[in-house]
Structures are given as structure tokens and as C-alpha cells.
Amino acid sequence: MGIPHRNMSMVPRVLFGAGSFSQLSAILEPKRQGVKAPFVFLVDDCFANYSDVVDQIPTSYEDRIVFVSSEEEPTTEQVDLLVQEIILQFNSIPSGIIGIGGGSVMDLAKAVSLLLTNSGSASDYQGWDLVQSPSVFHVGVPTISGTGAEVSRTTVLKGPVKKLGINSDYTTFDQVILDPNLTIGVPAVQRFYTGMDCFIHCIESLEGTFLNPFSRVHGEKAKSLCEAVFLPSQLSDSEKREYLMMASWLGGISIANSQVGIVHALSYGLSFVKNIRHGVGNCIVIEHLNNYYPKGLETFRRMRDFNEIELPTGICENLSENQWRQITSIALSLEPLWENALGKNWKSLIDEKEIRELYEKM
Ligand code: NAD
Ligand code: ZN
């Protein structure tokens, strides 16, 4: 018997188009479970004073808007607290959780919707297929493009001992709204870092051993859209926003059916130990992986230079021995990522010492 093929969960409904966010109300109303069962809108606090977006959030009855900061990547503790607050505040399970923001806020929305129907802490479910019960109805509305969190079956959280996703079929959003206009205010540097997350998803998927035709076609298209956005082209700004939003979506589907690779394994360690944000961490890491992703790195560097991005250096100077142990063990624990990158016998091809040497160059 060969490896079983993956029966992939997908977002069942997706609305795409500039201005489509205004249709949120029509989407939500049929899903309301009664006047006492509110919709809870988790919204990136960068929109707190941005009435164009907030005014379009359709609240009625007991519905709540909760502004959340994405200054720090989401944690299991933050999810547990939000779930507790929602349970204490309302007498019934919400009709739905709507996440409006980037990967951080969308992941938070996914995790909260899961933990409202699954007991215990979010940290109990970090891993693969540990979730037992379907989540509350949840909607993802990206306001920055690249992570693919809008389409993936994972919610990546920092827990007490590791940064790891809750990977499950119940994690996937029930509805997504892709409105490129929501990304208009994203600062150029942030747009680059989050956009490169998508580009790197494609490189790791396309150059990995788990690659299959399904992942390949999505990954190739997403990669070429990223290149059109971040290299010289005739595209208008609004076309760039549309293309990058579609790239994020397709790149997310590509990795969902294959896997990410060494960039992500090392970037997760950086994020946990040095608090480096995901997109930035990926860019720092890929710079040092010439032995693994030479072609992808060459294109990355052209995009980096064209967009005048200066990457941080020297970030692993002064790590304590304890931090070295932590960072290398987090990276090595992400076994499927290494297996995708290096093949079944990856353990004979990389060890703690080589991982530390890579980090030392960053
Ligand atoms: P983010 O959500 O952390 O946001 C980055 C910054 O952009 C924040 O300061 C935010 O306030 C700002 N921002 C967002 N939208 C904006 C807008 N329209 N205008 C102005 N500013 C805006 O960034 P991200 O890169 O999208 O997400 C990173 C997170 O996603 C990490 O926690 C990472 O682990 C996670 N991630 C998840 C998946 C998944 O499949 N679930 C995949 C990759 C990454
Ligand atoms: Zn990523």
C-alpha cells in the first residue's frame, strides 16, 4: 500500500472582489442562531480609528467588536483568555467568530472558534488532528496578503513550550471574504514581508519531496503572481493588491497539500526564542539557505533589492546555552517540514550542530 492520498479540507465558500466586504451582513444574517447568540468580530486594532472598515462591520443585538493587537504573534494563553471572556460575557455559544486582520488575527479567530466547542486549553491541541469537535461557524477576512491563513487548515500559536499550529479539518474557515481594498493601507515594508511568506511557501512546496500535481499547479501560479507584484511590471496598484491576494490563497492551497520546509522550521525557532515575526523571520532565514533553495533565493534577492528592503542581521548573537537548546530543538521537532525538504532519511542529513551553525550566521 502506498501513502494514502490527502482528503483535504477546503473553505466551502469564498467571496472575492474589491468592495466585497460590504456583503458581510448578508452573509452573516442567515447564520445567526438567535438574538442571544452574538457574532464576535475580532478585528486588528490597526483599524480601531479607521472608520471606513469599522463602519462596515454589521453589528446588531449582542454582537461585539473586540480589537486585538497583532504586535505579538498569537499565543495559546491569549486564545484561552478570549474564550473565557466570551463564555463569561454571553449566556450562549456565539453564532460565529469573524477574524478581520492579517495572519495573526485570522489565526486567533480560528483558534477561538475551536476552543468554544472543545474543552481545555488551546495548547492541548497544538499538533496534528487532535481536535475532536467541530468549531463554531467562523469567517476569515484578510486585510494583508501572504500567509495563506485564510485558506489553511492550521492556526499557528505560540504555546508554553513551542510555536506550533492546531492542524485539523475543523480549523479551516467556513467562509472567507477576499476584498483587496482592505489591504490598501498596508505599509510597503510589511507588505513585502508578508508577501514573501507566500513566495517562500511556494518555494518550499515546489522544491519539496511531498510535491504532487495539485500542489504544483497552485504553487507555480502563486509564485508567478508574487514575482509580478514584487519585480518590475506594468501592473497598477489595484492589480497588485488583487494578484497578491490570489497568490496568498493559491500558495496556501499548495502547502496544504504538500508542506513547508527548512525556512519555516528555522523561522519558527526564531519567532519563539527571539520574538521575530513570521514574515521577517522567513526572509532572514532564506538568505542563508543557498545550499537548499538556490533558485528561490536568487529570485528572493532580486525582489528584496527591487523593493529596497534591508534585513536585520546579527539576531542570534548573545543567545544563552539554554536558548540555543530551545531554538534548535524547536526547529528539529518540526519533522514533517524536514521530511518534505530532505526526504525520508532527513535525520541522517541534518543535526543539531548544523542547525546551530545556520542560526549563527543569521
Ligand atoms: P500580522 O497579522 O501579524 O500583521 C502584520 C502587521 O500588519 C500588523 O502590525 C498589523 O496591524 C498590520 N496590518 C494588517 N492589515 C493591515 C492593513 N490593512 N493596513 C495597515 N496595517 C495592517 O501579519 P501576517 O504576516 O499576515 O501574519 C503573521 C502571522 O500569521 C504569524 O503569527 C504567523 O505565525 C501566522 N501564519 C499563519 C499561517 C496559517 O496558515 N495559519 C500561515 C503563515 C503564517
Ligand atoms: Zn509561512
Side-chain angles (χ1 to χ4, degrees), residues 147 197 201 255 260 264 278 282:
T147 63
D197 190 21
H201 290 160
I255 48 172
V260 285
H264 275 71
H278 184 69
N282 285 348

Side-chain angles (χ1 to χ4, degrees), residues 115-164:
L115 267 291
L116 281 166
T117 52
N118 288 273
S119 59
S121 160
S123 60
D124 300 337
Y125 299 99
Q126 283 179 290
W128 279 270
D129 301 306
L130 302 172
V131 179
Q132 303 297 321
S133 306
S135 66
V136 165
F137 175 75
H138 54 305
V139 180
V141 187
T143 63
I144 179 171
S145 301
T147 63
E150 64 278 17
V151 70
S152 72
R153 73 189 288 276
T154 189
T155 156
V156 186
L157 302 172
K158 285 191 195 174
V161 286
K162 58 196 167 192
K163 175 176 173 181
L164 184 62

Side-chain angles (χ1 to χ4, degrees), residues 2-277:
I3 302 167
H5 299 291
R6 193 170 296 180
N7 190 7
M8 202 177 92
S9 65
M10 269 297 290
V11 174
R13 281 194 177 259
V14 54
L15 172 65
F16 174 86
S20 58
F21 184 58
S22 63
Q23 289 173 238
L24 182 58
S25 168
I27 287 171
L28 293 184
E29 272 325 301
K31 301 288 180 187
R32 191 180 286 283
Q33 303 291 313
V35 294
K36 293 267 177 239
F39 286 108
V40 178
F41 300 86
L42 301 180
V43 184
D44 192 302
D45 67 3
C46 73
F47 293 110
N49 299 315
Y50 192 34
S51 56
D52 266 15
V53 173
V54 176
D55 290 352
Q56 287 189 71
I57 299 175
T59 49
S60 43
Y61 306 107
E62 314 260 302
D63 298 347
R64 284 282 185 290
I65 296 178
V66 180
F67 289 108
V68 285
S69 166
S70 52
E71 195 64 38
E72 302 275 330
E73 294 188 339
T75 63
T76 53
E77 197 187 350
Q78 190 183 6
V79 173
D80 295 346
L81 277 173
L82 271 166
V83 169
Q84 256 176 34
E85 272 171 37
I86 292 172
I87 289 172
L88 285 177
Q89 203 172 1
F90 304 105
N91 288 325
S92 60
I93 294 281
S95 296
I97 305 293
I98 298 95
I100 304 171
S104 300
V105 176
M106 286 191 285
D107 277 356
L108 210 51
K110 287 171 161 183
V112 167
S113 73
L114 285 168
L115 267 291
L116 281 166
T117 52
N118 288 273
S119 59
S121 160
S123 60
D124 300 337
Y125 299 99
Q126 283 179 290
W128 279 270
D129 301 306
L130 302 172
V131 179
Q132 303 297 321
S133 306
S135 66
V136 165
F137 175 75
H138 54 305
V139 180
V141 187
T143 63
I144 179 171
S145 301
T147 63
E150 64 278 17
V151 70
S152 72
R153 73 189 288 276
T154 189
T155 156
V156 186
L157 302 172
K158 285 191 195 174
V161 286
K162 58 196 167 192
K163 175 176 173 181
L164 184 62
I166 301 180
N167 297 265
S168 87
D169 284 348
Y170 301 128
T171 309
T172 319
F173 282 117
D174 298 298
Q175 166 84 55
V176 166
I177 299 178
L178 299 177
D179 181 347
N181 282 358
L182 294 176
T183 68
I184 286 175
V186 177
V189 173
Q190 184 63 54
R191 173 173 160 273
F192 179 82
Y193 283 133
T194 301
M196 285 305 103
D197 190 21
C198 176
F199 177 75
I200 290 168
H201 290 160
C202 299
I203 297 302
E204 293 181 299
S205 175
L206 292 168
E207 298 191 25
T209 63
F210 293 0
L211 186 64
N212 56 68
F214 188 97
S215 282
R216 183 193 291 279
V217 296
H218 290 85
E220 282 175 347
K221 188 68 201 174
K223 178 170 167 287
S224 71
L225 290 171
C226 288
E227 290 168 7
V229 170
F230 289 107
L231 287 172
S233 77
Q234 302 298 317
L235 295 177
S236 67
D237 285 349
S238 69
E239 284 169 324
K240 284 184 184 174
R241 287 193 291 273
E242 289 172 348
Y243 280 28
L244 196 54
M245 198 157 247
M246 284 319 301
S248 176
W249 178 264
L250 295 172
I253 297 176
S254 181
I255 48 172
N257 212 263
S258 57
Q259 188 47 276
V260 285
I262 303 178
V263 182
H264 275 71
L266 298 183
S267 172
Y268 274 32
L270 281 184
S271 158
F272 194 86
V273 173
K274 294 292 295 184
N275 228 359
I276 305 270
R277 299 174 82 133

